[in-house]
Amino acid sequence: MRRIERAFVTLNGAVLVLGLAAMTVILGWNVAGRYLTGNSLTWADEVARYSMIWLTFLGCGLALRHGAHAAITNAQDALPTRGQLVLRGLILLVLFGFFGFMVWVGIDYMNRMSIQRSAALQVPMRWIYAAMPAGFALMIVHLALIAPQYLRAGLQHSDEAPLG
């Protein structure tokens, strides 16, 4: 199971790196073309914007896994061990519920935008808005994978020992 989890995390990270690299090349090419030839790619800004949206949602799960999202741990740390365990369990339930709700809302919103097209690329906006349910679904998977460790030990309080 740990091997599958590592492969999943590696794949998620590789998609982010490739997406960021592609976005960098497209924007670099566009800037160079604009200043060297006076011409720019009409679709480059749109690709950059939509890539950033997708990269943000696809990267949220990895950020969650490493405890990079904002968190307030004072209340948790002040509780006795049993209270910490109960609070962590409650936090996990709330997060699973919220992420599931956001997948549902994202799918609904994605379907509502299915008739709209982007200006430059003429891509159906449903594919742009699909980033939201995809990202929250990934967050559910990442949370499910780290939940046992989180219940046992809580989030790490330093950058030296991230979850995962």
Side-chain angles (χ1 to χ4, degrees):
M1 184 64 177
R2 292 300 273 170
R3 211 145 128 217
I4 294 170
E5 181 178 354
R6 264 190 240 116
F8 172 70
V9 170
T10 301
L11 179 63
N12 194 177
V15 167
L16 292 174
V17 168
L18 290 174
L20 189 58
M23 190 174 78
T24 302
V25 167
I26 290 168
L27 285 176
W29 185 270
N30 193 41
V31 169
R34 185 178 305 142
Y35 288 105
L36 296 176
T37 67
N39 296 321
S40 63
L41 304 170
T42 57
W43 46 266
D45 293 334
E46 201 169 273
V47 168
R49 184 179 320 115
Y50 298 149
S51 296
M52 185 60 69
I53 291 168
W54 268 94
L55 291 171
T56 298
F57 278 107
L58 294 179
C60 283
L62 288 176
L64 175 74
R65 167 178 287 281
H66 293 285
H69 290 286
I72 300 172
T73 58
N74 293 348
Q76 180 179 306
D77 293 343
L79 294 173
T81 305
R82 183 81 175 142
Q84 288 183 13
L85 185 63
V86 169
L87 182 59
R88 284 189 213 121
L90 181 64
I91 289 169
L92 285 173
L93 289 175
V94 169
L95 286 176
F96 277 122
F98 177 71
F99 296 163
F101 174 73
M102 293 307 292
V103 167
W104 178 71
V105 167
I107 290 170
D108 180 53
Y109 196 68
M110 181 184 83
N111 289 331
R112 290 174 190 239
M113 296 295 120
S114 63
I115 60 170
Q116 189 178 17
R117 291 189 171 274
S118 68
L121 295 172
Q122 290 298 304
V123 173
M125 291 303 288
R126 114 181 274 140
W127 298 113
I128 309 309
Y129 289 109
M132 184 176 166
F136 277 102
L138 279 174
M139 287 181 77
I140 289 171
V141 173
H142 280 288
L143 186 60
L145 291 170
I146 65 169
Q149 182 180 354
Y150 175 68
L151 274 175
R152 283 192 309 272
L155 290 174
Q156 300 296 329
H157 296 286
S158 70
D159 292 333
E160 294 125 22
L163 289 175

